[in-house]
Amino acid sequence: MINSKKVLIIIPAYNEEENIENVVNNVLEENNLVDVVVVNDGSKDDTLKRAQNTKATVIDLPNNLGIGGAVQTGMIYAYKNGYDIAIQIDGDGQHNPKYIKEMVNKINEGYDMVIGSRFVEKTNYKQTFFRMLGINITSALIKAITGRKIYDTTSGFRAVNREIIEEFSKNYPYDYPEPETNMKIVLKKKKVLEMPVEMRKRMAGKSFITPIKSVKYMIKVTMSLMMAKLKLKEY
Amino acid sequence: MIYYLGIIFGIVFLIFILNLVKKNKLDEKYSIVWIIFSLGILLISIFYELFMKISLKLGVYYPPILLLLFAIIIEGIYIVHITITITKQNKMIIKLTQELAILKEKVEEMEEKNDKR
């Protein structure tokens, strides 16, 4: 509980055996008033056991659902267990848990969603060319469709309030979910804040981005952003 | 000659499909399209002269093209139908996986509590 709000930290983890214990422990050292749930997304390595060594609740998906399905599982858990705020943190240690408290404060101030952003202010975070290209294109697309500029469209460091927990537990894209959900929330006229955060280099293991995946990513995300505008009328 | 082959193929295909349904390897729902397909081949093979006349009336001077056109349209529609089904099933699998994992965690937690007593 932070300011009498039940806060859940959701950590999706796929093959993060080298990082997961540190990530969980860092979160709890920084803030022992939150609950942590690790969603093991069908990892092939020792992630499950390592996560169970920590104080976190571990939800073990029998299949690999991808990042969207894993995060949504955390959202369903948060919704069912009455959490007021859910904060998603990557399982690779890129996100510094020292920002959790500030994110919670911002939600308490009335924001519906807070995005931990690398680019609102200049930080020394270095990106690969393709990642940057992807972020710039999705950012421009979201600006064109909604009129609102979101700088760090792919950030997986996000806090949401109860209303959006409910929404996400019902609807959440399966792959590359961040840009699409950011745009949807903006389109629904929710209050979104981009909060500057410093991100660290991932602690161990490899990032998933290759040029071919980047092209697939761009096609899928462009498509989903354009469709999201049309789909919105159904809700 | 090709017309006899068509008739034979149609009959064999029809028996193959009906057999799959009988063995519960294919849902009745999905078999209907294939039954219509094999009946279509049979009918065209048997009444090929009528089929030729119809294609000429439609302005298709090489009748097999009309056949191909029909086939492509029908297969296209059916493939869309199948991808819709896959999408639906995918959603169901994801939902099931999520609910199962959450329940699993709950059961383990309850067992732990019981062990402590």
Side-chain angles (χ1 to χ4, degrees), chain A residues 195-217:
Chain A
M195 189 180 107
V197 298
E198 289 259 2
M199 290 203 192
R200 303 180 288 205
K201 277 247 146 62
R202 67 193 339 289
M203 289 173 180
K206 264 192 190 162
S207 177
F208 73 99
I209 293 172
T210 64
I212 292 171
K213 277 190 180 170
S214 302
V215 172
K216 258 172 82 182
Y217 174 88

PDB file of all heavy atoms in Angstrom, chain A residues 195-217:
ATOM      1  N   MET A 195       6.495  10.620 -18.208  1.00  0.00           N
ATOM      2  CA  MET A 195       7.393  11.039 -17.145  1.00  0.00           C
ATOM      3  C   MET A 195       8.826  10.670 -17.518  1.00  0.00           C
ATOM      4  O   MET A 195       9.078   9.533 -17.915  1.00  0.00           O
ATOM      5  CB  MET A 195       6.973  10.284 -15.883  1.00  0.00           C
ATOM      6  CG  MET A 195       7.635  10.709 -14.624  1.00  0.00           C
ATOM      7  SD  MET A 195       6.995   9.678 -13.276  1.00  0.00           S
ATOM      8  CE  MET A 195       8.407   8.658 -12.985  1.00  0.00           C
ATOM      9  N   PRO A 196       9.759  11.628 -17.462  1.00  0.00           N
ATOM     10  CA  PRO A 196      11.122  11.285 -17.856  1.00  0.00           C
ATOM     11  C   PRO A 196      11.766  10.287 -16.893  1.00  0.00           C
ATOM     12  O   PRO A 196      11.682  10.469 -15.682  1.00  0.00           O
ATOM     13  CB  PRO A 196      11.851  12.631 -17.811  1.00  0.00           C
ATOM     14  CG  PRO A 196      11.017  13.509 -16.950  1.00  0.00           C
ATOM     15  CD  PRO A 196       9.607  13.030 -17.052  1.00  0.00           C
ATOM     16  N   VAL A 197      12.344   9.250 -17.436  1.00  0.00           N
ATOM     17  CA  VAL A 197      13.084   8.297 -16.602  1.00  0.00           C
ATOM     18  C   VAL A 197      14.413   7.982 -17.284  1.00  0.00           C
ATOM     19  O   VAL A 197      14.536   8.044 -18.497  1.00  0.00           O
ATOM     20  CB  VAL A 197      12.311   6.973 -16.382  1.00  0.00           C
ATOM     21  CG1 VAL A 197      11.010   7.205 -15.655  1.00  0.00           C
ATOM     22  CG2 VAL A 197      12.060   6.261 -17.704  1.00  0.00           C
ATOM     23  N   GLU A 198      15.399   7.663 -16.478  1.00  0.00           N
ATOM     24  CA  GLU A 198      16.657   7.154 -17.013  1.00  0.00           C
ATOM     25  C   GLU A 198      16.503   5.661 -17.125  1.00  0.00           C
ATOM     26  O   GLU A 198      16.042   5.003 -16.203  1.00  0.00           O
ATOM     27  CB  GLU A 198      17.798   7.441 -16.030  1.00  0.00           C
ATOM     28  CG  GLU A 198      18.194   8.889 -15.938  1.00  0.00           C
ATOM     29  CD  GLU A 198      19.455   9.184 -16.733  1.00  0.00           C
ATOM     30  OE1 GLU A 198      19.971   8.239 -17.381  1.00  0.00           O
ATOM     31  OE2 GLU A 198      19.896  10.337 -16.714  1.00  0.00           O
ATOM     32  N   MET A 199      16.892   5.104 -18.261  1.00  0.00           N
ATOM     33  CA  MET A 199      16.868   3.650 -18.344  1.00  0.00           C
ATOM     34  C   MET A 199      18.284   3.119 -18.387  1.00  0.00           C
ATOM     35  O   MET A 199      19.195   3.762 -18.873  1.00  0.00           O
ATOM     36  CB  MET A 199      16.074   3.203 -19.561  1.00  0.00           C
ATOM     37  CG  MET A 199      14.597   3.485 -19.378  1.00  0.00           C
ATOM     38  SD  MET A 199      13.552   2.469 -20.376  1.00  0.00           S
ATOM     39  CE  MET A 199      11.988   3.343 -20.173  1.00  0.00           C
ATOM     40  N   ARG A 200      18.426   1.911 -17.840  1.00  0.00           N
ATOM     41  CA  ARG A 200      19.747   1.300 -17.810  1.00  0.00           C
ATOM     42  C   ARG A 200      19.868   0.317 -18.965  1.00  0.00           C
ATOM     43  O   ARG A 200      18.860  -0.128 -19.524  1.00  0.00           O
ATOM     44  CB  ARG A 200      19.924   0.557 -16.484  1.00  0.00           C
ATOM     45  CG  ARG A 200      19.725   1.489 -15.295  1.00  0.00           C
ATOM     46  CD  ARG A 200      19.902   0.772 -13.995  1.00  0.00           C
ATOM     47  NE  ARG A 200      18.789  -0.134 -13.702  1.00  0.00           N
ATOM     48  CZ  ARG A 200      18.469  -0.484 -12.451  1.00  0.00           C
ATOM     49  NH1 ARG A 200      19.160  -0.038 -11.426  1.00  0.00           N
ATOM     50  NH2 ARG A 200      17.459  -1.304 -12.232  1.00  0.00           N
ATOM     51  N   LYS A 201      21.074  -0.021 -19.290  1.00  0.00           N
ATOM     52  CA  LYS A 201      21.295  -1.123 -20.237  1.00  0.00           C
ATOM     53  C   LYS A 201      20.799  -2.398 -19.576  1.00  0.00           C
ATOM     54  O   LYS A 201      20.925  -2.563 -18.369  1.00  0.00           O
ATOM     55  CB  LYS A 201      22.791  -1.248 -20.543  1.00  0.00           C
ATOM     56  CG  LYS A 201      23.261  -0.290 -21.611  1.00  0.00           C
ATOM     57  CD  LYS A 201      23.684  -1.076 -22.868  1.00  0.00           C
ATOM     58  CE  LYS A 201      23.394  -0.328 -24.137  1.00  0.00           C
ATOM     59  NZ  LYS A 201      24.067   0.915 -24.309  1.00  0.00           N
ATOM     60  N   ARG A 202      20.221  -3.292 -20.389  1.00  0.00           N
ATOM     61  CA  ARG A 202      19.749  -4.541 -19.790  1.00  0.00           C
ATOM     62  C   ARG A 202      20.914  -5.233 -19.073  1.00  0.00           C
ATOM     63  O   ARG A 202      22.059  -5.157 -19.502  1.00  0.00           O
ATOM     64  CB  ARG A 202      19.087  -5.440 -20.830  1.00  0.00           C
ATOM     65  CG  ARG A 202      20.024  -5.969 -21.871  1.00  0.00           C
ATOM     66  CD  ARG A 202      19.407  -6.617 -23.092  1.00  0.00           C
ATOM     67  NE  ARG A 202      18.061  -7.134 -23.081  1.00  0.00           N
ATOM     68  CZ  ARG A 202      17.648  -8.211 -22.452  1.00  0.00           C
ATOM     69  NH1 ARG A 202      18.420  -8.862 -21.662  1.00  0.00           N
ATOM     70  NH2 ARG A 202      16.430  -8.639 -22.601  1.00  0.00           N
ATOM     71  N   MET A 203      20.595  -5.890 -17.954  1.00  0.00           N
ATOM     72  CA  MET A 203      21.651  -6.451 -17.116  1.00  0.00           C
ATOM     73  C   MET A 203      22.380  -7.593 -17.807  1.00  0.00           C
ATOM     74  O   MET A 203      23.589  -7.667 -17.837  1.00  0.00           O
ATOM     75  CB  MET A 203      21.064  -6.966 -15.804  1.00  0.00           C
ATOM     76  CG  MET A 203      20.614  -5.857 -14.880  1.00  0.00           C
ATOM     77  SD  MET A 203      19.769  -6.598 -13.478  1.00  0.00           S
ATOM     78  CE  MET A 203      19.321  -5.162 -12.542  1.00  0.00           C
ATOM     79  N   ALA A 204      21.654  -8.525 -18.364  1.00  0.00           N
ATOM     80  CA  ALA A 204      22.286  -9.675 -19.021  1.00  0.00           C
ATOM     81  C   ALA A 204      21.361 -10.160 -20.122  1.00  0.00           C
ATOM     82  O   ALA A 204      20.225  -9.719 -20.241  1.00  0.00           O
ATOM     83  CB  ALA A 204      22.509 -10.786 -17.996  1.00  0.00           C
ATOM     84  N   GLY A 205      21.878 -11.063 -20.950  1.00  0.00           N
ATOM     85  CA  GLY A 205      21.051 -11.606 -22.029  1.00  0.00           C
ATOM     86  C   GLY A 205      20.987 -10.655 -23.200  1.00  0.00           C
ATOM     87  O   GLY A 205      21.637  -9.622 -23.226  1.00  0.00           O
ATOM     88  N   LYS A 206      20.193 -11.047 -24.200  1.00  0.00           N
ATOM     89  CA  LYS A 206      20.160 -10.277 -25.444  1.00  0.00           C
ATOM     90  C   LYS A 206      18.805  -9.630 -25.656  1.00  0.00           C
ATOM     91  O   LYS A 206      17.795 -10.147 -25.253  1.00  0.00           O
ATOM     92  CB  LYS A 206      20.425 -11.222 -26.627  1.00  0.00           C
ATOM     93  CG  LYS A 206      21.870 -11.248 -27.068  1.00  0.00           C
ATOM     94  CD  LYS A 206      21.903 -11.979 -28.394  1.00  0.00           C
ATOM     95  CE  LYS A 206      23.313 -12.297 -28.828  1.00  0.00           C
ATOM     96  NZ  LYS A 206      23.328 -13.339 -29.845  1.00  0.00           N
ATOM     97  N   SER A 207      18.821  -8.492 -26.328  1.00  0.00           N
ATOM     98  CA  SER A 207      17.573  -7.870 -26.731  1.00  0.00           C
ATOM     99  C   SER A 207      17.081  -8.596 -27.981  1.00  0.00           C
ATOM    100  O   SER A 207      17.839  -9.288 -28.643  1.00  0.00           O
ATOM    101  CB  SER A 207      17.811  -6.397 -27.033  1.00  0.00           C
ATOM    102  OG  SER A 207      16.626  -5.820 -27.493  1.00  0.00           O
ATOM    103  N   PHE A 208      15.807  -8.449 -28.286  1.00  0.00           N
ATOM    104  CA  PHE A 208      15.230  -9.282 -29.344  1.00  0.00           C
ATOM    105  C   PHE A 208      15.275  -8.650 -30.727  1.00  0.00           C
ATOM    106  O   PHE A 208      14.841  -9.236 -31.705  1.00  0.00           O
ATOM    107  CB  PHE A 208      13.773  -9.622 -28.988  1.00  0.00           C
ATOM    108  CG  PHE A 208      12.831  -8.467 -29.126  1.00  0.00           C
ATOM    109  CD1 PHE A 208      12.038  -8.339 -30.257  1.00  0.00           C
ATOM    110  CD2 PHE A 208      12.743  -7.511 -28.128  1.00  0.00           C
ATOM    111  CE1 PHE A 208      11.176  -7.272 -30.392  1.00  0.00           C
ATOM    112  CE2 PHE A 208      11.881  -6.448 -28.261  1.00  0.00           C
ATOM    113  CZ  PHE A 208      11.100  -6.320 -29.396  1.00  0.00           C
ATOM    114  N   ILE A 209      15.815  -7.453 -30.828  1.00  0.00           N
ATOM    115  CA  ILE A 209      15.608  -6.727 -32.081  1.00  0.00           C
ATOM    116  C   ILE A 209      16.650  -7.052 -33.165  1.00  0.00           C
ATOM    117  O   ILE A 209      17.833  -6.920 -32.975  1.00  0.00           O
ATOM    118  CB  ILE A 209      15.565  -5.211 -31.817  1.00  0.00           C
ATOM    119  CG1 ILE A 209      14.311  -4.913 -31.004  1.00  0.00           C
ATOM    120  CG2 ILE A 209      15.536  -4.424 -33.106  1.00  0.00           C
ATOM    121  CD1 ILE A 209      14.227  -3.510 -30.508  1.00  0.00           C
ATOM    122  N   THR A 210      16.157  -7.498 -34.325  1.00  0.00           N
ATOM    123  CA  THR A 210      16.981  -7.699 -35.512  1.00  0.00           C
ATOM    124  C   THR A 210      16.324  -6.905 -36.635  1.00  0.00           C
ATOM    125  O   THR A 210      15.146  -6.567 -36.522  1.00  0.00           O
ATOM    126  CB  THR A 210      17.028  -9.182 -35.912  1.00  0.00           C
ATOM    127  OG1 THR A 210      15.698  -9.577 -36.281  1.00  0.00           O
ATOM    128  CG2 THR A 210      17.519 -10.057 -34.784  1.00  0.00           C
ATOM    129  N   PRO A 211      17.060  -6.614 -37.737  1.00  0.00           N
ATOM    130  CA  PRO A 211      16.449  -5.827 -38.818  1.00  0.00           C
ATOM    131  C   PRO A 211      15.162  -6.433 -39.360  1.00  0.00           C
ATOM    132  O   PRO A 211      14.183  -5.718 -39.585  1.00  0.00           O
ATOM    133  CB  PRO A 211      17.540  -5.800 -39.886  1.00  0.00           C
ATOM    134  CG  PRO A 211      18.800  -5.924 -39.115  1.00  0.00           C
ATOM    135  CD  PRO A 211      18.501  -6.815 -37.955  1.00  0.00           C
ATOM    136  N   ILE A 212      15.133  -7.764 -39.546  1.00  0.00           N
ATOM    137  CA  ILE A 212      13.920  -8.384 -40.109  1.00  0.00           C
ATOM    138  C   ILE A 212      12.758  -8.232 -39.142  1.00  0.00           C
ATOM    139  O   ILE A 212      11.642  -7.883 -39.521  1.00  0.00           O
ATOM    140  CB  ILE A 212      14.153  -9.876 -40.427  1.00  0.00           C
ATOM    141  CG1 ILE A 212      15.158  -9.977 -41.587  1.00  0.00           C
ATOM    142  CG2 ILE A 212      12.852 -10.569 -40.806  1.00  0.00           C
ATOM    143  CD1 ILE A 212      15.639 -11.374 -41.870  1.00  0.00           C
ATOM    144  N   LYS A 213      13.028  -8.474 -37.867  1.00  0.00           N
ATOM    145  CA  LYS A 213      11.974  -8.297 -36.863  1.00  0.00           C
ATOM    146  C   LYS A 213      11.499  -6.856 -36.834  1.00  0.00           C
ATOM    147  O   LYS A 213      10.321  -6.592 -36.610  1.00  0.00           O
ATOM    148  CB  LYS A 213      12.502  -8.695 -35.482  1.00  0.00           C
ATOM    149  CG  LYS A 213      12.429 -10.189 -35.238  1.00  0.00           C
ATOM    150  CD  LYS A 213      12.738 -10.511 -33.788  1.00  0.00           C
ATOM    151  CE  LYS A 213      12.653 -12.009 -33.541  1.00  0.00           C
ATOM    152  NZ  LYS A 213      13.179 -12.364 -32.229  1.00  0.00           N
ATOM    153  N   SER A 214      12.432  -5.917 -37.059  1.00  0.00           N
ATOM    154  CA  SER A 214      12.050  -4.511 -37.037  1.00  0.00           C
ATOM    155  C   SER A 214      11.060  -4.191 -38.148  1.00  0.00           C
ATOM    156  O   SER A 214      10.111  -3.449 -37.945  1.00  0.00           O
ATOM    157  CB  SER A 214      13.284  -3.616 -37.206  1.00  0.00           C
ATOM    158  OG  SER A 214      14.212  -3.887 -36.200  1.00  0.00           O
ATOM    159  N   VAL A 215      11.302  -4.778 -39.331  1.00  0.00           N
ATOM    160  CA  VAL A 215      10.392  -4.539 -40.452  1.00  0.00           C
ATOM    161  C   VAL A 215       9.017  -5.124 -40.144  1.00  0.00           C
ATOM    162  O   VAL A 215       7.981  -4.472 -40.316  1.00  0.00           O
ATOM    163  CB  VAL A 215      10.958  -5.141 -41.762  1.00  0.00           C
ATOM    164  CG1 VAL A 215       9.925  -5.068 -42.869  1.00  0.00           C
ATOM    165  CG2 VAL A 215      12.235  -4.409 -42.162  1.00  0.00           C
ATOM    166  N   LYS A 216       9.015  -6.361 -39.619  1.00  0.00           N
ATOM    167  CA  LYS A 216       7.755  -6.991 -39.234  1.00  0.00           C
ATOM    168  C   LYS A 216       7.034  -6.131 -38.198  1.00  0.00           C
ATOM    169  O   LYS A 216       5.833  -5.908 -38.258  1.00  0.00           O
ATOM    170  CB  LYS A 216       8.031  -8.374 -38.613  1.00  0.00           C
ATOM    171  CG  LYS A 216       7.765  -9.520 -39.552  1.00  0.00           C
ATOM    172  CD  LYS A 216       8.243 -10.819 -38.953  1.00  0.00           C
ATOM    173  CE  LYS A 216       7.249 -11.430 -37.968  1.00  0.00           C
ATOM    174  NZ  LYS A 216       7.776 -12.681 -37.379  1.00  0.00           N
ATOM    175  N   TYR A 217       7.834  -5.649 -37.253  1.00  0.00           N
ATOM    176  CA  TYR A 217       7.311  -4.805 -36.185  1.00  0.00           C
ATOM    177  C   TYR A 217       6.618  -3.572 -36.760  1.00  0.00           C
ATOM    178  O   TYR A 217       5.489  -3.253 -36.408  1.00  0.00           O
ATOM    179  CB  TYR A 217       8.476  -4.389 -35.280  1.00  0.00           C
ATOM    180  CG  TYR A 217       8.120  -3.401 -34.206  1.00  0.00           C
ATOM    181  CD1 TYR A 217       7.653  -3.848 -32.974  1.00  0.00           C
ATOM    182  CD2 TYR A 217       8.235  -2.037 -34.416  1.00  0.00           C
ATOM    183  CE1 TYR A 217       7.316  -2.951 -31.992  1.00  0.00           C
ATOM    184  CE2 TYR A 217       7.909  -1.130 -33.430  1.00  0.00           C
ATOM    185  CZ  TYR A 217       7.449  -1.593 -32.219  1.00  0.00           C
ATOM    186  OH  TYR A 217       7.107  -0.700 -31.251  1.00  0.00           O
TER     187      TYR A 217
END
